[in-house]
Amino acid sequence: MDAAGTWTSPIKFKSRSLFHHRKSSQENLDRFIPNRSAMDFSYAHYMLTEGRKNKEEPVVTSPSKEAYRKKLAEAFNMNRTRILAFKNKPPQPVEAIPSDFFSPSPPQSKSSKPRRHIPQSSERTLDAPDIEDDFYLNLLDWGSSNVLCIALGNIVYLWNASDSSTAELVTVNEEEGPITSVSWAPDGRHLAVGLNNSIVQLWDSTTSKLLRVLRGGHRGRVGSLAWNNHILSTGGMEGRVVNNDVRIRSHIVETYRGHNQEVCGLKWSPSGQQLASGGNDNLVHIWDRSRASSNSPTRWLHRFEEHVAAVKALAWCPFQGNLLASGGGGSDQCIKFWNTHTGACLNTINTGSQVCALLWSKSERELLSSHGFTQNQLTLWKYPSMLKMAELNGHTSRVLHMAQSPDGCTVASAAADETLRFWNVFGTPEASKPSPKRNREPFADFNRIR
């Protein structure tokens, strides 16, 4: 501080220009003169001299000097403790990441469905004595009237799911039997019964009366049946598929020739336009009714030769009309998916065991398969990923047959262990939509043409 009371900074700033070259040692260096208009030199001097002293140490000063210092502190707002300081408090720290942030399964949205519980055991088990242990037969069906039929040897039994009552519909003699196939008509009242002696019987389940006998279509046992309104398709041991119009006297209206061994699987598409047949010759054929009026009505639309064992299991997809699932026997063990419009194989999966039957869920994109050796299980698959959703165990022999309840929720399975089991595999029934009106009396002329 000079005599006039002006404080002079003891710090001198010097800088050498990068672009100025010194000519001689006598010349002065360029000086960098900073802009001091924004500097508070009095406050800086105070902090350098007095401010950093330890406040706890007692300092002996005169009253006049202490009064001067107090006035100086008030003038320079000496409640500040640092030259450089934040004027605002720093923000609060962000809350820690929740512990379940990295959970492998994200929380379900309100619109997503809760995961359905699939019971691992059957809800009911009934005896099925004398059921034929034959892979190529079809001895179980569940009608639209909620009545299940099963053929045990030479007898057809009816089990009413509404009241759990049981009745015997028909007993055939030894020359005709055993019974080789059964199938309910769409009305849930009339039942077709295929026999070992090549004939097919049509029964009225409400009156227990034989309405008609269909002859002449086959030379051996009739192991497979499929309804398409008033058309009953039958598959025989000789390899033929016959379409029978049950309303007329000359019932044989079409004959399909493509298999050279027994036809063990028959299923009509939901539209009623295409018929799928599987045989012991490892073949699957697709027959189209629109070709029946052409010059070659018995020519197949598609022939699938990829299976390497008998194909009995066939199932049309309910939500995609041109999608067919087929399952191969013990040497094949595969489920294959077909586009029946193009004839392309969409996917194949090896199940590891004989595929005996297939059923699609009516409400979910799921497929149920039944199997033989080694586990004799039912397997529920998610389509199209084909991930296993559940395996249902209980049968001790191969599960030869499956049938689905009218509401689509319960599945009945019949096995060579002579048991009939019921599984709640497809969930609780939802409010069903009204079904379109169909011809409920396809047998109106039966008594007249018998």
Side-chain angles (χ1 to χ4, degrees):
M1 185 176 291
D2 55 13
T6 302
W7 181 80
T8 303
S9 174
I11 302 175
K12 294 182 179 180
F13 297 90
K14 293 182 179 182
S15 174
R16 180 175 180 178
S17 173
L18 296 176
F19 303 101
H20 181 79
H21 296 280
R22 183 177 178 181
K23 294 182 180 180
S24 65
S25 60
Q26 301 299 327
E27 294 182 6
N28 294 328
L29 297 173
D30 291 340
R31 291 186 301 147
F32 172 73
I33 302 174
N35 182 7
R36 293 186 175 93
S37 61
M39 296 184 180
D40 193 346
F41 292 106
S42 298
Y43 175 65
H45 178 263
Y46 175 81
M47 290 301 297
L48 289 172
T49 57
E50 299 293 335
R52 59 184 181 179
K53 290 182 179 180
N54 189 350
K55 296 180 179 180
E56 295 180 359
E57 295 180 2
V59 179
V60 180
T61 58
S62 63
S64 60
K65 188 175 182 178
E66 182 65 26
Y68 171 76
R69 211 172 75 118
K70 185 176 180 180
K71 289 291 185 181
L72 187 64
E74 292 175 357
F76 294 123
N77 190 18
M78 294 314 296
N79 59 346
R80 296 180 294 179
T81 58
R82 294 189 304 175
I83 297 176
L84 300 176
F86 292 106
K87 292 185 178 180
N88 298 321
K89 292 183 179 181
Q92 294 293 330
V94 180
E95 185 180 358
I97 298 176
S99 59
D100 60 348
F101 182 79
F102 296 103
S103 174
S105 58
Q108 292 183 346
S109 62
K110 293 182 180 180
S111 60
S112 61
K113 290 184 179 181
R115 186 170 180 178
R116 187 177 81 251
H117 172 66
I118 303 173
Q120 299 297 302
S121 59
S122 58
E123 60 182 10
R124 181 193 293 263
T125 302
L126 302 177
D127 289 329
D130 300 326
I131 189 170
E132 295 288 333
D133 184 8
D134 193 328
F135 175 80
Y136 305 100
L137 306 184
N138 293 271
L139 305 177
L140 181 71
D141 197 17
W142 203 328
S144 60
S145 296
N146 206 18
V147 177
L148 182 141
C149 68
I150 184 171
L152 304 178
N154 293 342
I155 306 175
V156 175
Y157 290 95
L158 303 181
W159 181 79
N160 192 323
S162 301
D163 56 11
S164 299
S165 62
T166 303
E168 179 181 327
L169 177 64
V170 56
T171 300
V172 300
N173 56 46
E174 293 295 332
E175 292 75 19
E176 296 175 323
I179 296 167
T180 53
S181 56
V182 292
S183 181
W184 282 107
D187 61 3
R189 173 181 175 180
H190 299 93
L191 183 70
V193 180
L195 302 178
N196 192 57
N197 67 343
S198 77
I199 68 172
V200 177
Q201 297 179 350
L202 302 179
W203 287 80
D204 187 333
S205 63
T206 59
T207 61
S208 299
K209 290 183 178 180
L210 176 63
L211 301 179
R212 191 173 183 186
V213 176
L214 306 179
R215 306 176 185 272
H218 302 283
R219 295 193 303 267
R221 68 181 185 181
V222 182
S224 53
L225 302 168
W227 285 93
N228 183 10
N229 198 7
H230 56 270
I231 297 295
L232 173 63
S233 298
T234 59
M237 193 170 188
E238 76 290 334
R240 287 201 300 266
V241 177
V242 177
N243 287 344
N244 302 272
D245 189 336
V246 298
R247 302 171 301 175
I248 60 179
R249 185 178 299 276
S250 300
H251 53 86
I252 299 177
V253 292
E254 292 154 0
T255 301
Y256 298 147
R257 294 178 175 87
H259 295 279
N260 52 44
Q261 294 189 41
E262 183 170 14
V263 178
C264 49
L266 277 180
K267 285 292 189 300
W268 278 99
S269 65
S271 66
Q273 189 63 34
Q274 293 183 333
L275 174 66
S277 63
N280 193 30
D281 52 6
N282 311 340
L283 298 176
V284 177
H285 288 100
I286 305 298
W287 312 90
D288 197 317
R289 291 214 70 199
S290 63
R291 301 168 64 95
S293 59
S294 65
N295 295 328
S296 56
T298 60
R299 183 69 178 178
W300 59 81
L301 177 63
H302 298 295
R303 168 183 273 189
F304 303 139
E305 303 177 353
E306 284 78 354
H307 284 290
V308 295
V311 182
K312 172 193 173 186
L314 297 170
W316 290 92
C317 179
F319 54 83
Q320 185 174 339
N322 63 327
L323 177 60
L324 174 72
S326 62
S331 300
D332 183 83
Q333 305 181 351
C334 291
I335 299 175
K336 296 182 183 294
F337 298 91
W338 311 93
N339 183 329
T340 60
H341 286 174
T342 65
C345 182
L346 304 177
N347 192 14
T348 181
I349 181 170
N350 194 314
T351 66
S353 58
Q354 180 186 52
V355 183
C356 301
L358 293 171
L359 285 177
W360 287 94
S361 170
K362 295 180 180 180
S363 57
E364 303 289 342
R365 293 177 180 264
E366 298 169 1
L367 179 70
L368 183 68
S369 57
S370 70
H371 299 272
F373 183 81
T374 59
Q375 298 183 38
N376 307 305
Q377 84 281 16
L378 282 73
T379 303
L380 184 64
W381 310 85
K382 187 68 176 178
Y383 184 84
S385 64
M386 293 306 288
L387 295 175
K388 286 185 182 180
M389 299 182 62
E391 285 196 346
L392 310 178
N393 296 289
H395 286 292
T396 57
S397 296
R398 55 183 180 174
V399 188
L400 296 170
H401 316 286
M402 288 196 302
Q404 194 171 12
S405 62
D407 61 16
C409 300
T410 305
V411 171
S413 61
D417 59 8
E418 298 187 336
T419 63
L420 177 64
R421 294 176 181 265
F422 296 84
W423 313 82
N424 186 17
V425 64
F426 287 137
T428 305
E430 299 179 356
S432 58
K433 298 180 181 179
S435 57
K437 293 183 179 180
R438 304 184 64 175
N439 182 10
R440 306 292 290 180
E441 296 293 338
F443 304 96
D445 298 329
F446 269 3
N447 294 328
R448 181 175 59 83
I449 63 178
R450 245 181 98 188

